[in-house]
Amino acid sequence: MNILLKSAKIVCPGNKELHLKKRDILIKKGIIEKIGASVEAPANIKVVEKENLHVSLGWFDSSVSFGEPGFEERETIANGLFTAGKSGFTDIVLNPNTHPVPDTSSDVVFLKERGQGKATKVHPIGTLTTNSDGEALAELFDMKNAGAVAFYDFKKQVSNPNLLKIALLYAQNFDGLVYSFPQDGDIKGKGVAHEGEISTKLGLKGIPALAEELQIARDLFVLEYTGGKLHIPTISSAGSVKLIAEAKKKGLDVTCSVAVHNLFFSDENLIGFDTHFKVSPPLRTNTDCKALIKGVKNGTIDFVTSDHIPMDIEHKRVEFDNAKSGSLGLESTFGSLNTIFELDETIDILTKGRERYQIEIPKLAEGSKACLTLFNPDGEYTFDRKDILSTSKNSMFLGATLKGKVYGIINNDQSTL
């Protein structure tokens, strides 16, 4: 793949020589051959010139679900990776949200093979326990050797604290990353929305922030006892930010993420009972949103994720209580982050995180593999159904005003331009 990018403004806060400079970038056979103020186009090369073209290192998403195997009607791996690439992501961490779940090394190999040869690289997570049933640890070591980047029973609490203790101790033998979903199922009960004024007015069963914070407090105590590497995915409350900040001050090896929709929306969006806004953890208050945004800015929250979960219409076009949780996020992540944060902050958020998963960190330099995202950061637009590339259409961002458009990616000697 040979491409010449013309007059691209480089957004790379960590590279003072190139940051915010307009440059031509020549790419041959997937390698950045030349970066210069003016590069002449060689014969038989694709020249890319776009309105207000900006380029950064390729973007990374730490929480993406598709459907294959088992739920291909929601999303296949092939179309999911195409969607990720058109949305600007060169690397995605794939959740074990399938049927059957990936709890063996052969399952991980299958997922990696299905993603081969695509512009966006897939990095699977294996389950923490066999069948994600919370009873016995899965084949963690074998899955790590097969390419699993972490271990997680998707959106399920680790009910047994001794199981979490054993997992954290065992995973230290091979530098494994253990996930624990922050929600106490007993306190959550049959709740479907944040417990507060809005849920009371709407007559919806509430999920108090206590359900999240109590689980996090327990997990952090276990981590302090065992050591090891713990990741807490998709936190949603101000109290959770405080707990994790305190744990980091103690020196515990803990990271956490937040779903972009928990920064952009609040429980006020539930008025109208639109099931697109039913997610887990739930949308919480504006106060929580502000605390989460502050946590992202000061580094307490390590990653912002799309938490992309395709869901077929049969599970969304039902009563709010009966609808399944989940929203699309890949296509709207850049536009929503770019609305909340300054451009430098947005790109920093989108490009960091690979080191936690031991994924190769790209470089924007001559001689390096081209791992680039192309975009226009300016211009507001209303997110519409036509902007959805996923097979499923369950996006809570429909009708939202977002800022900036993604052109595509160049990665893995492929392009989605």
Side-chain angles (χ1 to χ4, degrees):
M1 181 199 66
N2 301 324
I3 290 179
L4 176 62
L5 306 180
K6 295 293 291 183
S7 299
K9 181 177 278 192
I10 295 172
V11 184
C12 190
N15 188 329
K16 293 181 180 179
E17 290 184 7
L18 292 176
H19 185 47
L20 300 182
K21 302 289 196 305
K22 273 194 176 183
R23 294 289 185 267
D24 292 355
I25 303 174
L26 178 62
I27 299 163
K28 286 189 175 181
K29 296 181 180 179
I31 304 296
I32 299 174
E33 184 171 287
K34 189 170 181 59
I35 302 173
S38 180
V39 178
E40 287 196 22
N44 301 316
I45 196 164
K46 180 179 179 180
V47 178
V48 175
E49 296 181 271
K50 300 279 188 181
E51 180 185 356
N52 196 29
L53 177 60
H54 284 58
V55 64
S56 73
L57 290 172
W59 300 345
F60 170 76
D61 193 338
S62 64
S63 180
V64 174
S65 298
F66 295 143
E68 186 180 359
F71 303 116
E72 287 85 354
E73 73 281 3
R74 298 177 185 174
E75 191 69 279
T76 62
I77 291 174
N79 192 66
L81 291 176
F82 170 77
T83 300
K86 293 295 286 185
S87 302
F89 294 95
T90 56
D91 292 270
I92 60 105
V93 172
L94 186 64
N95 289 316
N97 186 19
T98 57
H99 181 72
V101 292
D103 59 0
T104 68
S105 58
S106 59
D107 296 328
V108 173
V109 169
F110 167 80
L111 293 171
K112 288 184 71 70
E113 287 181 345
R114 295 293 285 172
Q116 280 186 350
K118 308 296 184 185
T120 299
K121 292 184 179 180
V122 61
H123 307 278
I125 296 179
T127 63
L128 184 66
T129 63
T130 303
N131 297 320
S132 285
D133 60 13
E135 295 295 327
L137 289 182
E139 301 174 2
L140 307 190
F141 179 66
D142 289 345
M143 287 193 289
K144 175 73 183 292
N145 288 337
V149 295
F151 310 104
Y152 179 26
D153 290 343
F154 181 69
K155 300 289 185 182
K156 293 181 178 180
Q157 70 173 107
V158 182
S159 299
N160 184 347
N162 191 55
L163 184 73
L164 179 64
K165 182 194 79 172
I166 294 169
L168 286 166
L169 288 169
Y170 175 56
Q172 290 177 57
N173 293 297
F174 48 89
D175 201 25
L177 178 62
V178 174
Y179 272 51
S180 181
F181 183 60
Q183 191 162 258
D184 184 301
D186 292 322
I187 292 179
K188 176 200 172 189
K190 295 182 179 180
V192 296
H194 170 68
E195 182 182 85
E197 183 180 343
I198 300 294
S199 63
T200 302
K201 286 181 178 179
L202 298 177
L204 296 173
K205 295 182 179 70
I207 305 172
L210 175 67
E212 176 170 307
E213 293 156 12
L214 188 64
Q215 188 79 8
I216 289 175
R218 186 208 72 173
D219 292 348
L220 292 174
F221 271 118
V222 174
L223 177 65
E224 188 171 8
Y225 176 79
T226 60
K229 293 164 59 176
L230 178 67
H231 181 68
I232 300 173
T234 59
I235 68 172
S236 66
S237 78
S240 297
V241 177
K242 184 178 179 181
L243 286 167
I244 292 167
E246 291 170 352
K248 288 186 173 186
K249 285 180 182 177
K250 289 181 179 179
L252 300 185
D253 192 353
V254 59
T255 51
C256 67
S257 65
V258 62
V260 66
H261 49 249
N262 283 99
L263 305 177
F264 198 86
F265 297 108
S266 73
D267 60 347
E268 292 178 3
N269 293 95
L270 300 182
I271 297 171
F273 299 96
D274 186 344
T275 58
H276 286 137
F277 292 97
K278 186 177 181 182
V279 287
S280 179
L283 301 176
R284 299 202 186 272
T285 66
N286 285 311
T287 300
D288 290 304
C289 290
K290 291 175 183 176
L292 292 166
I293 291 170
K294 183 178 179 181
V296 172
K297 289 188 174 187
N298 65 28
T300 300
I301 297 175
D302 301 272
F303 321 128
V304 179
T305 172
S306 68
D307 203 29
H308 180 86
I309 304 177
M311 195 62 62
D312 47 276
I313 194 170
E314 287 82 2
H315 289 114
K316 280 294 186 179
R317 192 171 287 178
V318 293
E319 297 86 353
F320 197 92
D321 281 356
N322 297 325
K324 286 191 176 292
S325 297
S327 173
L328 301 180
L330 283 170
E331 299 97 322
S332 50
T333 293
F334 173 64
S336 51
L337 283 176
N338 197 35
T339 303
I340 301 169
F341 299 98
E342 297 296 325
L343 180 59
D344 281 11
E345 292 176 313
T346 296
I347 298 305
D348 180 61
I349 289 166
L350 289 167
T351 53
K352 69 179 180 179
R354 289 176 173 87
E355 62 280 357
R356 186 61 168 172
Y357 298 88
Q358 299 176 346
I359 297 169
E360 182 181 359
I361 300 172
K363 295 180 180 178
L364 212 167
E366 293 178 357
S368 298
K369 294 178 184 176
C371 178
L372 305 173
T373 299
L374 285 66
F375 59 97
N376 177 356
D378 298 332
E380 291 188 345
Y381 73 103
T382 300
F383 189 77
D384 190 77
R385 191 178 175 88
K386 70 180 185 321
D387 298 306
I388 297 177
L389 302 174
S390 302
T391 302
S392 297
K393 307 300 176 186
N394 58 303
S395 174
M396 71 170 71
F397 285 91
L398 286 167
T401 300
L402 306 182
K403 181 184 176 185
K405 283 277 193 177
V406 178
Y407 291 127
I409 64 171
I410 299 170
N411 186 47
N412 203 24
D413 201 15
Q414 304 281 323
S415 169
T416 65
L417 295 172

